[in-house]
Amino acid sequence: MPPTLASLVHHSALKLTVRAGEDRLDVPVRWAHVSELADPVPYMEGGELLLITALKLDAEDPEAMRRYVRRLAGAGVVGLGFAVGVNYEEIPKALVDAAEEEGLPLLEVPRRTPFLAISKAVSAAIAADQYKAVTAGFAAQRELTRQAQTGGPEGLLAALASQVDGWAALYDASGAVVATAPEWAGRRAARLTADVERLRDRPAPASSVVGGPENEDRVELHTIGTGRRPRAALAVGTAAALGTAERYALHSAIALLTLTTERSRSLQAAEQRIGSAVLRMLLAGEPDHARAVAGDLYGGLLDAPFRMMVAERVPVSASAALARAEAGTPARAADPPSAAAHAPAHTNGDP
């Protein structure tokens, strides 16, 4: 968990006291920033705990404090830390009232607590949270890899769904659902086919975020594959945006699925080449060589002598004309030429 105002208040070394907004201490703190500017808002990004001594503020002016606090809250500042014993021996009532009115947490910082100590506490908590997320991400990567090796895509999806506390689905290149985890996610995944098709039409790699069907959840879609056209797509549905650890798990799953997809494609091409070579050997009268190359890949091969027939599909109208010709019925003027030329039966002699 990232640091919060509550965690800083409970930090035994800081000795902070809550003077306003005690019901909003559970908000995360992105950073602790010191500024004595009368208007520090242009330099805020949101999520900061602002630390001041009121060097350039009339903290006893109610109207000035209302404007000041309102500006801070509007900029996304999550808390205000006021150092007592510097310019003011205690926090002026005007500032306390303004913070209460706006709902902005106001923390009293004792003189013996330097702002640097607060900044270091926030920084250490953020670093610890990031380290925990990275460690969890590596652990997730190991588990996903193990599942991909032992359980295939289905096992990988199950592990990913568990890591993100949601569901996952794999789609093929046409947008059809291949696998889901858990099983109950199949219906949700099927409703996203149109979104997957739109994603498929974009150059890979591509991703998008869509609202879950019937606003059930938040769904991220990602293409799978290394070429310009995706070979598959992955959907991940969660109740909220993914955190750092969950993001690591998702990226690991995408990489593993890409490797699996590309490997399957290469193996399929290799099997096709072997099959063609085996067939050519059989037709050339070399069944022993064909068996040595094929091994157990195709089971038992045919024994010579053998004969192969290839039938080509013909249009219905041509088939009707051919049937009439075989029956001795004269062809009508509107009939196309005989389909015999279009549907030959080829035979190979005995090798």
Coordinates of all heavy atoms in Angstrom, one line a residue, residues 160-237:
L160 N -3.3 -15.9 -14.5 CA -3.4 -14.5 -14.7 C -4.7 -14.0 -14.0 O -4.6 -12.9 -13.3 CB -3.4 -14.1 -16.2 CG -3.7 -12.7 -16.5 CD1 -2.5 -11.8 -16.0 CD2 -3.7 -12.5 -18.0
A161 N -5.8 -14.7 -14.2 CA -7.0 -14.2 -13.5 C -6.9 -14.2 -12.0 O -7.4 -13.3 -11.3 CB -8.2 -15.2 -13.9
S162 N -6.1 -15.1 -11.4 CA -5.9 -15.1 -10.0 C -5.0 -14.0 -9.6 O -5.3 -13.3 -8.6 CB -5.3 -16.5 -9.6 OG -4.9 -16.5 -8.2
Q163 N -4.0 -13.6 -10.4 CA -3.1 -12.6 -10.1 C -3.8 -11.2 -10.1 O -3.5 -10.3 -9.2 CB -1.9 -12.6 -11.0 CG -1.0 -13.8 -10.9 CD -0.2 -13.7 -9.7 OE1 0.1 -12.7 -9.1 NE2 0.3 -14.9 -9.3
V164 N -4.7 -11.0 -11.0 CA -5.3 -9.7 -11.1 C -6.7 -9.6 -10.4 O -7.3 -8.6 -10.4 CB -5.5 -9.3 -12.6 CG1 -4.2 -9.3 -13.3 CG2 -6.5 -10.2 -13.3
D165 N -7.0 -10.7 -9.7 CA -8.3 -10.8 -9.0 C -9.5 -10.4 -9.9 O -10.3 -9.6 -9.6 CB -8.3 -9.9 -7.8 CG -9.5 -10.2 -6.9 OD1 -10.0 -11.3 -6.9 OD2 -9.9 -9.3 -6.1
G166 N -9.5 -11.1 -11.1 CA -10.5 -10.8 -12.1 C -10.7 -12.0 -13.0 O -10.7 -13.1 -12.6
W167 N -10.9 -11.7 -14.3 CA -11.0 -12.8 -15.3 C -10.2 -12.5 -16.5 O -9.7 -11.3 -16.7 CB -12.5 -13.0 -15.7 CG -13.2 -11.8 -16.3 CD1 -13.9 -10.9 -15.6 CD2 -13.2 -11.5 -17.7 NE1 -14.3 -9.9 -16.5 CE2 -13.9 -10.3 -17.8 CE3 -12.7 -12.1 -18.8 CZ2 -14.2 -9.7 -19.0 CZ3 -12.9 -11.4 -20.0 CH2 -13.7 -10.3 -20.1
A168 N -9.9 -13.5 -17.3 CA -9.1 -13.3 -18.5 C -9.7 -14.2 -19.6 O -10.3 -15.3 -19.4 CB -7.6 -13.7 -18.2
A169 N -9.5 -13.7 -20.8 CA -10.0 -14.5 -22.0 C -9.0 -14.4 -23.2 O -8.4 -13.3 -23.3 CB -11.4 -14.0 -22.4
L170 N -8.9 -15.4 -23.9 CA -8.0 -15.4 -25.1 C -8.9 -15.6 -26.3 O -9.8 -16.5 -26.4 CB -7.0 -16.6 -25.0 CG -6.0 -16.7 -26.1 CD1 -5.1 -15.5 -26.1 CD2 -5.2 -18.0 -26.0
Y171 N -8.6 -14.8 -27.4 CA -9.3 -14.8 -28.6 C -8.4 -15.2 -29.7 O -7.2 -14.9 -29.7 CB -9.9 -13.4 -28.9 CG -10.9 -12.9 -27.9 CD1 -10.4 -12.3 -26.7 CD2 -12.3 -13.0 -28.0 CE1 -11.2 -11.8 -25.7 CE2 -13.1 -12.5 -27.1 CZ -12.6 -11.9 -25.9 OH -13.4 -11.4 -25.0
D172 N -8.9 -15.9 -30.8 CA -8.1 -16.2 -31.9 C -8.1 -15.0 -32.9 O -8.7 -13.9 -32.6 CB -8.5 -17.5 -32.6 CG -9.9 -17.4 -33.2 OD1 -10.5 -16.3 -33.4 OD2 -10.5 -18.4 -33.5
A173 N -7.4 -15.2 -34.0 CA -7.3 -14.1 -35.0 C -8.6 -13.6 -35.6 O -8.8 -12.4 -36.0 CB -6.4 -14.5 -36.1
S174 N -9.6 -14.5 -35.6 CA -11.0 -14.1 -36.1 C -11.8 -13.4 -35.0 O -12.9 -12.8 -35.4 CB -11.7 -15.3 -36.6 OG -12.1 -16.2 -35.5
G175 N -11.4 -13.3 -33.8 CA -12.1 -12.7 -32.7 C -13.0 -13.7 -31.9 O -13.7 -13.3 -31.0
A176 N -12.9 -15.0 -32.2 CA -13.6 -16.0 -31.5 C -12.9 -16.3 -30.2 O -11.7 -16.3 -30.1 CB -13.8 -17.2 -32.3
V177 N -13.7 -16.6 -29.1 CA -13.2 -16.9 -27.8 C -12.6 -18.3 -27.9 O -13.2 -19.3 -28.3 CB -14.3 -16.8 -26.7 CG1 -13.7 -17.2 -25.4 CG2 -14.9 -15.4 -26.7
V178 N -11.3 -18.4 -27.5 CA -10.6 -19.7 -27.4 C -10.7 -20.3 -26.0 O -10.9 -21.5 -25.9 CB -9.1 -19.5 -27.9 CG1 -8.4 -20.8 -27.7 CG2 -9.1 -19.0 -29.3
A179 N -10.4 -19.5 -25.0 CA -10.4 -20.0 -23.6 C -10.7 -18.8 -22.7 O -10.4 -17.7 -23.0 CB -9.0 -20.6 -23.3
T180 N -11.2 -19.2 -21.5 CA -11.5 -18.2 -20.5 C -11.1 -18.7 -19.1 O -11.1 -19.9 -18.9 CB -13.0 -17.7 -20.5 OG1 -13.8 -18.9 -20.2 CG2 -13.4 -17.1 -21.8
A181 N -10.9 -17.8 -18.2 CA -10.7 -18.3 -16.8 C -11.2 -17.1 -15.9 O -10.8 -16.0 -16.1 CB -9.2 -18.5 -16.6
P182 N -12.0 -17.4 -14.9 CA -12.6 -18.7 -14.6 C -13.7 -19.0 -15.7 O -13.9 -18.2 -16.6 CB -13.3 -18.5 -13.3 CG -12.7 -17.3 -12.7 CD -12.3 -16.4 -13.8
E183 N -14.3 -20.2 -15.6 CA -15.2 -20.6 -16.7 C -16.4 -19.7 -16.8 O -16.9 -19.5 -17.9 CB -15.7 -22.1 -16.4 CG -14.6 -23.1 -16.6 CD -15.1 -24.5 -16.4 OE1 -16.4 -24.7 -16.2 OE2 -14.3 -25.5 -16.5
W184 N -16.8 -19.1 -15.7 CA -18.0 -18.2 -15.7 C -17.8 -17.0 -16.6 O -18.8 -16.3 -16.9 CB -18.5 -17.8 -14.3 CG -17.4 -17.2 -13.5 CD1 -16.7 -17.7 -12.5 CD2 -17.0 -15.8 -13.5 NE1 -15.8 -16.8 -11.9 CE2 -16.0 -15.6 -12.5 CE3 -17.3 -14.7 -14.3 CZ2 -15.3 -14.4 -12.3 CZ3 -16.6 -13.5 -14.1 CH2 -15.7 -13.4 -13.1
A185 N -16.6 -16.7 -16.9 CA -16.3 -15.5 -17.7 C -16.5 -15.6 -19.2 O -16.4 -14.7 -19.9 CB -14.8 -15.1 -17.5
G186 N -16.9 -16.8 -19.6 CA -17.1 -17.1 -21.0 C -18.2 -16.1 -21.6 O -18.0 -15.6 -22.7
R187 N -19.3 -15.9 -20.9 CA -20.4 -15.1 -21.5 C -19.9 -13.6 -21.5 O -20.2 -12.9 -22.5 CB -21.6 -15.2 -20.6 CG -22.2 -16.6 -20.6 CD -23.5 -16.7 -19.8 NE -24.5 -15.9 -20.4 CZ -25.8 -15.8 -19.8 NH1 -26.0 -16.5 -18.7 NH2 -26.7 -15.1 -20.4
R188 N -19.2 -13.2 -20.5 CA -18.7 -11.8 -20.6 C -17.7 -11.6 -21.7 O -17.7 -10.6 -22.5 CB -18.0 -11.4 -19.3 CG -18.9 -11.4 -18.1 CD -18.2 -10.8 -16.9 NE -19.0 -11.0 -15.6 CZ -18.6 -10.5 -14.5 NH1 -17.5 -9.8 -14.4 NH2 -19.4 -10.7 -13.4
A189 N -16.8 -12.6 -21.9 CA -15.8 -12.5 -23.0 C -16.5 -12.5 -24.3 O -16.1 -11.8 -25.3 CB -14.9 -13.7 -22.9
A190 N -17.6 -13.3 -24.5 CA -18.2 -13.4 -25.8 C -18.9 -12.0 -26.2 O -18.9 -11.7 -27.4 CB -19.3 -14.5 -25.8
R191 N -19.3 -11.2 -25.2 CA -19.9 -9.9 -25.5 C -18.9 -8.9 -26.0 O -19.3 -7.8 -26.5 CB -20.6 -9.4 -24.3 CG -21.7 -10.3 -23.8 CD -22.3 -9.7 -22.5 NE -23.2 -10.7 -21.8 CZ -23.3 -10.8 -20.5 NH1 -22.6 -10.0 -19.7 NH2 -24.2 -11.7 -20.0
L192 N -17.6 -9.2 -25.9 CA -16.6 -8.2 -26.3 C -16.0 -8.5 -27.7 O -15.0 -7.9 -28.1 CB -15.5 -8.2 -25.3 CG -15.8 -7.7 -23.9 CD1 -14.7 -8.0 -22.9 CD2 -16.2 -6.3 -23.9
T193 N -16.7 -9.4 -28.4 CA -16.2 -9.8 -29.8 C -16.0 -8.6 -30.7 O -15.0 -8.5 -31.4 CB -17.1 -10.8 -30.4 OG1 -17.1 -12.0 -29.6 CG2 -16.6 -11.2 -31.8
A194 N -17.0 -7.7 -30.7 CA -16.9 -6.5 -31.6 C -15.7 -5.6 -31.2 O -15.0 -5.1 -32.1 CB -18.2 -5.7 -31.5
D195 N -15.5 -5.5 -29.9 CA -14.3 -4.7 -29.5 C -13.0 -5.3 -29.9 O -12.0 -4.7 -30.3 CB -14.3 -4.5 -28.0 CG -15.5 -3.7 -27.5 OD1 -15.6 -2.5 -27.8 OD2 -16.4 -4.3 -26.9
V196 N -13.0 -6.7 -29.8 CA -11.8 -7.4 -30.2 C -11.5 -7.2 -31.8 O -10.4 -7.1 -32.2 CB -11.9 -8.9 -29.9 CG1 -10.7 -9.7 -30.4 CG2 -11.9 -9.0 -28.4
E197 N -12.6 -7.3 -32.5 CA -12.5 -7.1 -34.0 C -12.0 -5.7 -34.3 O -11.2 -5.6 -35.3 CB -13.9 -7.4 -34.6 CG -14.3 -8.9 -34.5 CD -15.7 -9.1 -35.1 OE1 -16.4 -8.1 -35.4 OE2 -16.1 -10.2 -35.3
R198 N -12.5 -4.7 -33.6 CA -12.0 -3.4 -33.9 C -10.5 -3.2 -33.5 O -9.7 -2.6 -34.3 CB -12.8 -2.3 -33.1 CG -14.2 -2.1 -33.7 CD -14.8 -0.8 -33.0 NE -15.1 -1.1 -31.6 CZ -16.3 -1.6 -31.3 NH1 -17.2 -1.9 -32.2 NH2 -16.6 -1.8 -30.0
L199 N -10.1 -3.9 -32.5 CA -8.7 -3.9 -32.1 C -7.8 -4.6 -33.1 O -6.7 -4.2 -33.4 CB -8.5 -4.5 -30.7 CG -7.1 -4.5 -30.1 CD1 -6.8 -3.0 -29.7 CD2 -7.0 -5.4 -28.9
R200 N -8.4 -5.7 -33.7 CA -7.6 -6.5 -34.6 C -7.3 -5.7 -35.9 O -6.3 -5.9 -36.6 CB -8.5 -7.7 -35.0 CG -7.8 -8.7 -36.0 CD -8.9 -9.7 -36.4 NE -10.0 -9.1 -37.1 CZ -11.2 -9.6 -37.2 NH1 -11.4 -10.8 -36.8 NH2 -12.1 -9.0 -37.9
D201 N -8.2 -4.7 -36.2 CA -8.0 -4.0 -37.4 C -6.9 -2.9 -37.3 O -6.5 -2.2 -38.3 CB -9.3 -3.3 -37.9 CG -10.4 -4.3 -38.3 OD1 -9.9 -5.4 -38.7 OD2 -11.6 -4.0 -38.2
R202 N -6.4 -2.7 -36.1 CA -5.3 -1.7 -35.8 C -4.0 -2.4 -36.0 O -3.8 -3.6 -35.7 CB -5.5 -1.1 -34.5 CG -6.8 -0.2 -34.3 CD -7.1 0.1 -32.9 NE -6.0 0.6 -32.2 CZ -6.0 0.9 -30.8 NH1 -7.0 0.6 -30.1 NH2 -4.9 1.3 -30.2
P203 N -2.9 -1.6 -36.4 CA -1.6 -2.2 -36.5 C -1.1 -2.7 -35.1 O -1.3 -2.0 -34.1 CB -0.7 -1.0 -37.0 CG -1.7 -0.1 -37.6 CD -3.0 -0.2 -36.8
A204 N -0.6 -3.9 -35.1 CA -0.1 -4.4 -33.8 C 1.3 -3.9 -33.5 O 2.1 -3.5 -34.4 CB 0.0 -6.0 -33.9
P205 N 1.6 -3.7 -32.2 CA 0.8 -4.1 -31.0 C -0.2 -3.0 -30.7 O 0.1 -1.8 -30.9 CB 1.8 -4.2 -29.9 CG 2.9 -3.3 -30.3 CD 3.0 -3.3 -31.8
A206 N -1.4 -3.4 -30.3 CA -2.4 -2.4 -30.0 C -3.1 -2.8 -28.7 O -3.1 -4.0 -28.3 CB -3.4 -2.4 -31.1
S207 N -3.7 -1.9 -28.0 CA -4.4 -2.1 -26.8 C -5.5 -1.1 -26.6 O -5.5 0.0 -27.2 CB -3.5 -2.1 -25.6 OG -2.9 -0.8 -25.4
S208 N -6.5 -1.4 -25.8 CA -7.6 -0.5 -25.5 C -8.2 -0.8 -24.2 O -8.1 -2.0 -23.7 CB -8.6 -0.5 -26.7 OG -9.3 -1.7 -26.7
V209 N -8.9 0.1 -23.6 CA -9.7 -0.1 -22.4 C -11.1 0.2 -22.7 O -11.5 1.2 -23.2 CB -9.1 0.8 -21.3 CG1 -10.0 0.6 -20.0 CG2 -7.7 0.6 -21.0
V210 N -12.0 -0.8 -22.3 CA -13.4 -0.6 -22.6 C -14.1 -0.9 -21.3 O -13.6 -1.6 -20.4 CB -13.9 -1.6 -23.7 CG1 -13.2 -1.2 -25.0 CG2 -13.7 -3.0 -23.3
G211 N -15.3 -0.3 -21.2 CA -16.2 -0.6 -20.0 C -16.7 -2.0 -20.2 O -17.0 -2.5 -21.3
G212 N -16.8 -2.7 -19.1 CA -17.3 -4.1 -19.1 C -18.7 -4.1 -19.6 O -19.4 -3.1 -19.5
P213 N -19.1 -5.2 -20.1 CA -20.5 -5.4 -20.5 C -21.5 -5.1 -19.4 O -21.3 -5.6 -18.3 CB -20.6 -6.8 -21.0 CG -19.5 -7.5 -20.4 CD -18.4 -6.5 -20.3
E214 N -22.4 -4.2 -19.6 CA -23.4 -3.8 -18.6 C -22.7 -3.2 -17.4 O -23.1 -3.3 -16.2 CB -24.3 -5.0 -18.1 CG -25.0 -5.7 -19.3 CD -25.8 -6.9 -18.8 OE1 -25.7 -7.2 -17.6 OE2 -26.4 -7.5 -19.7
N215 N -21.5 -2.6 -17.7 CA -20.8 -1.9 -16.6 C -20.3 -2.8 -15.5 O -20.2 -2.4 -14.3 CB -21.5 -0.7 -16.0 CG -21.8 0.4 -17.1 OD1 -20.9 0.7 -17.9 ND2 -23.0 0.9 -17.1
E216 N -20.1 -4.1 -15.8 CA -19.8 -5.1 -14.8 C -18.3 -4.9 -14.3 O -18.0 -5.1 -13.2 CB -19.9 -6.5 -15.3 CG -21.4 -6.9 -15.5 CD -21.5 -8.2 -16.2 OE1 -20.6 -8.6 -17.0 OE2 -22.5 -9.0 -15.9
D217 N -17.4 -4.5 -15.2 CA -16.1 -4.4 -14.8 C -15.3 -3.6 -15.9 O -15.8 -3.2 -16.9 CB -15.4 -5.7 -14.6 CG -15.8 -6.8 -15.7 OD1 -16.1 -6.3 -16.8 OD2 -15.9 -7.9 -15.4
R218 N -14.0 -3.3 -15.6 CA -13.1 -2.6 -16.5 C -12.3 -3.7 -17.2 O -11.8 -4.6 -16.7 CB -12.2 -1.7 -15.7 CG -11.1 -1.0 -16.5 CD -10.2 -0.2 -15.5 NE -9.2 0.5 -16.2 CZ -8.1 0.1 -16.6 NH1 -7.8 -1.2 -16.4 NH2 -7.2 0.8 -17.2
V219 N -12.3 -3.5 -18.6 CA -11.7 -4.6 -19.4 C -10.5 -3.9 -20.2 O -10.7 -2.9 -20.9 CB -12.7 -5.2 -20.3 CG1 -12.0 -6.3 -21.2 CG2 -13.8 -5.8 -19.5
E220 N -9.4 -4.6 -20.2 CA -8.3 -4.2 -21.0 C -8.1 -5.2 -22.1 O -8.1 -6.4 -21.9 CB -6.9 -4.1 -20.2 CG -6.9 -2.9 -19.3 CD -5.4 -2.7 -18.8 OE1 -4.5 -3.1 -19.5 OE2 -5.3 -2.0 -17.8
L221 N -7.9 -4.8 -23.4 CA -7.7 -5.6 -24.5 C -6.3 -5.4 -25.1 O -5.9 -4.3 -25.2 CB -8.8 -5.4 -25.6 CG -10.2 -5.6 -25.2 CD1 -11.1 -5.1 -26.4 CD2 -10.5 -7.0 -24.9
H222 N -5.6 -6.5 -25.4 CA -4.3 -6.4 -25.9 C -4.1 -7.4 -27.1 O -4.6 -8.6 -26.9 CB -3.2 -6.7 -24.8 CG -3.2 -5.7 -23.7 ND1 -2.5 -4.6 -23.7 CD2 -4.0 -5.7 -22.5 CE1 -2.7 -3.9 -22.5 NE2 -3.6 -4.6 -21.8
T223 N -3.5 -7.0 -28.1 CA -3.2 -7.9 -29.2 C -2.0 -8.8 -28.8 O -1.1 -8.4 -28.1 CB -2.9 -7.2 -30.5 OG1 -1.8 -6.2 -30.3 CG2 -4.1 -6.4 -31.0
I224 N -2.0 -10.0 -29.4 CA -0.9 -11.0 -29.2 C -0.2 -11.3 -30.5 O -0.9 -11.6 -31.5 CB -1.5 -12.3 -28.6 CG1 -2.2 -12.0 -27.3 CG2 -0.3 -13.3 -28.4 CD1 -1.4 -11.4 -26.2
G225 N 1.1 -11.2 -30.6 CA 1.8 -11.5 -31.8 C 2.9 -10.5 -32.1 O 2.9 -9.4 -31.6
T226 N 3.8 -10.9 -33.0 CA 4.9 -10.0 -33.3 C 4.8 -9.3 -34.6 O 5.6 -8.4 -35.0 CB 6.3 -10.7 -33.2 OG1 6.2 -11.8 -34.1 CG2 6.5 -11.2 -31.8
G227 N 3.9 -9.8 -35.5 CA 3.7 -9.3 -36.8 C 2.9 -8.0 -36.9 O 2.4 -7.6 -35.8
R228 N 2.7 -7.5 -38.1 CA 1.8 -6.4 -38.2 C 0.4 -6.7 -37.9 O -0.4 -5.8 -37.5 CB 2.0 -5.8 -39.6 CG 3.3 -5.2 -39.9 CD 3.4 -4.7 -41.4 NE 2.4 -3.7 -41.7 CZ 2.6 -2.4 -41.5 NH1 3.7 -2.0 -40.9 NH2 1.6 -1.6 -41.8
R229 N 0.0 -7.9 -38.2 CA -1.4 -8.4 -37.9 C -1.4 -9.3 -36.7 O -0.6 -10.2 -36.6 CB -2.0 -9.1 -39.1 CG -2.0 -8.3 -40.4 CD -3.0 -7.3 -40.4 NE -4.4 -7.8 -40.3 CZ -5.5 -7.0 -40.2 NH1 -5.3 -5.7 -40.1 NH2 -6.7 -7.6 -40.2
P230 N -2.2 -9.0 -35.7 CA -2.2 -9.8 -34.5 C -2.7 -11.3 -34.8 O -3.5 -11.5 -35.6 CB -3.2 -9.1 -33.6 CG -4.1 -8.4 -34.5 CD -3.3 -8.0 -35.7
R231 N -2.0 -12.2 -34.0 CA -2.4 -13.6 -34.1 C -3.5 -14.0 -33.1 O -4.2 -15.0 -33.3 CB -1.2 -14.4 -33.9 CG 0.0 -14.2 -34.8 CD -0.4 -14.8 -36.2 NE 0.6 -14.4 -37.2 CZ 0.5 -14.7 -38.5 NH1 -0.6 -15.3 -38.9 NH2 1.4 -14.3 -39.3
A232 N -3.7 -13.2 -32.1 CA -4.7 -13.4 -31.1 C -4.9 -12.2 -30.3 O -4.3 -11.1 -30.6 CB -4.2 -14.6 -30.2
A233 N -5.8 -12.2 -29.3 CA -6.0 -11.1 -28.4 C -6.3 -11.6 -27.0 O -6.8 -12.7 -26.8 CB -7.2 -10.2 -29.0
L234 N -5.9 -10.7 -26.1 CA -6.1 -11.1 -24.6 C -7.0 -10.0 -24.0 O -6.8 -8.8 -24.2 CB -4.8 -11.1 -23.9 CG -4.8 -11.3 -22.4 CD1 -5.4 -12.7 -22.0 CD2 -3.4 -11.1 -21.8
A235 N -8.0 -10.5 -23.2 CA -8.9 -9.6 -22.5 C -8.7 -9.9 -21.0 O -8.7 -11.0 -20.6 CB -10.3 -9.7 -22.9
V236 N -8.6 -8.8 -20.2 CA -8.5 -8.9 -18.7 C -9.5 -8.0 -18.1 O -9.5 -6.8 -18.4 CB -7.1 -8.6 -18.3 CG1 -7.1 -8.6 -16.7 CG2 -6.1 -9.5 -18.8
G237 N -10.4 -8.6 -17.3 CA -11.5 -7.8 -16.7 C -11.3 -7.8 -15.2 O -11.0 -8.8 -14.5

